Protein backbone atom coordinates (compact mmCIF):
# COMPACT_ATOMS: atom_id res chain seq x y z
CA UNK A 1 0.00 0.00 0.00
CA UNK A 2 1.25 3.46 -0.88
CA UNK A 3 -0.24 6.65 0.47
CA UNK A 4 0.36 10.09 -1.01
CA UNK A 5 -0.70 13.10 1.06
CA UNK A 6 -1.05 16.59 -0.35
CA UNK A 7 -2.72 19.91 0.32
CA UNK A 8 -0.72 21.34 3.19
CA UNK A 9 0.52 24.90 3.22
CA UNK A 10 0.55 28.22 4.96
CA UNK A 11 -2.77 29.69 6.04
CA UNK A 12 -3.83 32.51 8.29
CA UNK A 13 -5.78 32.07 11.49
CA UNK A 14 -9.40 31.38 10.69
CA UNK A 15 -8.58 30.06 7.26
CA UNK A 16 -9.29 26.68 5.72
CA UNK A 17 -7.33 23.91 4.07
CA UNK A 18 -8.26 20.65 2.38
CA UNK A 19 -5.84 17.77 2.61
CA UNK A 20 -5.97 14.78 0.30
CA UNK A 21 -4.53 11.30 0.63
CA UNK A 22 -4.44 9.06 -2.42
CA UNK A 23 -4.05 5.34 -1.77
CA UNK A 24 -2.81 2.66 -4.12
CA UNK A 25 -2.00 -1.00 -3.87
CA UNK A 26 -3.97 -3.73 -2.15
CA UNK A 27 -7.39 -2.25 -1.41
CA UNK A 28 -7.81 -4.19 1.82
CA UNK A 29 -4.88 -2.21 3.14
CA UNK A 30 -6.95 0.93 3.25
CA UNK A 31 -10.23 -0.34 4.64
CA UNK A 32 -9.54 2.11 7.44
CA UNK A 33 -7.85 5.44 6.78
CA UNK A 34 -6.88 8.18 9.16
CA UNK A 35 -5.18 11.50 9.54
CA UNK A 36 -2.64 11.99 12.30
CA UNK A 37 -0.62 15.08 13.12
CA UNK A 38 2.55 15.86 14.98
CA UNK A 39 3.34 19.33 16.18
CA UNK A 40 6.90 20.37 17.06
CA UNK A 41 7.88 18.92 20.41
CA UNK A 42 4.64 17.00 20.79
CA UNK A 43 3.54 13.43 20.33
CA UNK A 44 1.68 12.32 17.27
CA UNK A 45 -2.09 12.38 17.71
CA UNK A 46 -5.11 11.15 15.82
CA UNK A 47 -7.02 13.87 13.99
CA UNK A 48 -9.76 11.79 12.42
CA UNK A 49 -10.36 8.37 10.95
CA UNK A 50 -12.83 6.89 8.51
CA UNK A 51 -13.62 3.39 7.36
CA UNK A 52 -14.76 2.21 3.96
CA UNK A 53 -18.29 2.06 5.35
CA UNK A 54 -17.93 5.67 6.51
CA UNK A 55 -17.63 5.09 10.22
CA UNK A 56 -15.91 8.22 11.53
CA UNK A 57 -13.87 9.09 14.57
CA UNK A 58 -12.67 12.62 15.29
CA UNK A 59 -10.33 14.34 17.71
CA UNK A 60 -12.49 16.40 20.04
CA UNK A 61 -10.05 19.30 19.94
CA UNK A 62 -11.10 19.89 16.37
CA UNK A 63 -14.78 19.15 16.84
CA UNK A 64 -16.91 21.28 14.55
CA UNK A 65 -13.91 22.45 12.56
CA UNK A 66 -13.16 19.48 10.39
CA UNK A 67 -14.81 17.12 7.97
CA UNK A 68 -13.23 13.83 7.01
CA UNK A 69 -14.49 12.05 3.94
CA UNK A 70 -13.40 9.49 1.39
CA UNK A 71 -14.17 8.59 -2.16
CA UNK A 72 -13.91 4.81 -2.35
CA UNK A 73 -14.05 4.86 -6.15
CA UNK A 74 -10.96 7.08 -6.24
CA UNK A 75 -9.25 5.47 -3.23
CA UNK A 76 -8.80 8.93 -1.80
CA UNK A 77 -9.40 10.38 1.64
CA UNK A 78 -9.93 14.06 2.36
CA UNK A 79 -9.68 16.29 5.40
CA UNK A 80 -11.40 19.65 5.26
CA UNK A 81 -10.20 21.87 8.10
CA UNK A 82 -11.89 25.16 8.88
CA UNK A 83 -11.34 28.01 11.32
CA UNK A 84 -7.72 26.98 11.72
CA UNK A 85 -5.80 28.01 14.81
CA UNK A 86 -2.06 28.38 15.45
CA UNK A 87 -2.18 25.22 17.56
CA UNK A 88 -3.23 23.29 14.46
CA UNK A 89 0.25 23.85 13.02
CA UNK A 90 1.78 20.42 12.52
CA UNK A 91 2.88 17.85 10.02
CA UNK A 92 -0.21 15.91 8.99
CA UNK A 93 0.16 12.26 8.03
CA UNK A 94 -2.28 9.93 6.38
CA UNK A 95 -2.30 6.32 7.44
CA UNK A 96 -4.25 3.20 6.63
CA UNK A 97 -4.78 -0.36 7.75
CA UNK A 98 -6.97 -3.36 7.12
CA UNK A 99 -8.74 -2.81 10.44
CA UNK A 100 -9.95 0.36 12.16
CA UNK A 101 -8.23 -0.22 15.49
CA UNK A 102 -7.18 3.24 16.59
CA UNK A 103 -5.66 1.89 19.79
CA UNK A 104 -2.63 0.66 17.87
CA UNK A 105 -0.35 2.09 15.21
CA UNK A 106 -1.71 1.85 11.70
CA UNK A 107 0.33 -0.31 9.37
CA UNK A 108 0.77 1.97 6.34
CA UNK A 109 1.89 5.58 6.36
CA UNK A 110 2.29 8.29 3.81
CA UNK A 111 4.73 11.13 3.86
CA UNK A 112 3.63 14.09 5.90
CA UNK A 113 2.29 17.36 4.64
CA UNK A 114 3.05 20.49 6.62
CA UNK A 115 0.24 22.76 7.75
CA UNK A 116 1.31 26.12 9.16
CA UNK A 117 -1.25 28.49 10.64
CA UNK A 118 0.02 32.02 11.06
CA UNK A 119 -1.43 34.59 13.43
Amino acid sequence: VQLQASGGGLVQVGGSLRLSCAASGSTSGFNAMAWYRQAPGKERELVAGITRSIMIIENRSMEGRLNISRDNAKNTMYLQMNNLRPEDTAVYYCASDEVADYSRTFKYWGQGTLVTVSS
Side-chain angles (χ1 to χ4, degrees), residues 1-5 20-24 27-36 46-57 68-72 74-78 93-102 106 108 110:
V1 173
Q2 292 80 44
L3 303 171
Q4 181 71 41
S20 299
C21 176
S24 60
T27 56
S28 64
F30 39 92
N31 286 337
M33 300 184 76
W35 289 100
Y36 288 81
L46 174 69
V47 176
I50 185 168
T51 67
R52 192 176 295 278
S53 58
I54 320 299
M55 297 292 290
I56 292 172
I57 184 172
I68 186 171
S69 62
R70 65 186 286 170
D71 184 333
N72 290 329
K74 295 182 179 180
N75 296 331
T76 301
M77 172 180 63
Y78 305 97
Y93 298 91
C94 62
S96 73
D97 207 322
E98 287 86 356
V99 178
D101 183 353
Y102 300 101
F106 270 30
Y108 308 104

Side-chain angles (χ1 to χ4, degrees), residues 43-114:
E43 294 187 353
R44 186 174 61 200
E45 65 175 351
L46 174 69
V47 176
I50 185 168
T51 67
R52 192 176 295 278
S53 58
I54 320 299
M55 297 292 290
I56 292 172
I57 184 172
E58 296 179 351
N59 187 319
R60 288 188 176 182
S61 72
M62 295 195 74
E63 190 172 5
R65 301 191 293 121
L66 65 81
N67 180 45
I68 186 171
S69 62
R70 65 186 286 170
D71 184 333
N72 290 329
K74 295 182 179 180
N75 296 331
T76 301
M77 172 180 63
Y78 305 97
L79 183 69
Q80 176 70 40
M81 300 186 291
N82 302 315
N83 193 20
L84 285 163
R85 304 167 181 171
E87 55 264 37
D88 296 319
T89 294
V91 177
Y92 286 70
Y93 298 91
C94 62
S96 73
D97 207 322
E98 287 86 356
V99 178
D101 183 353
Y102 300 101
S103 67
R104 62 177 179 81
T105 302
F106 270 30
K107 188 178 299 183
Y108 308 104
W109 290 81
Q111 91 292 358
T113 185
L114 177 63

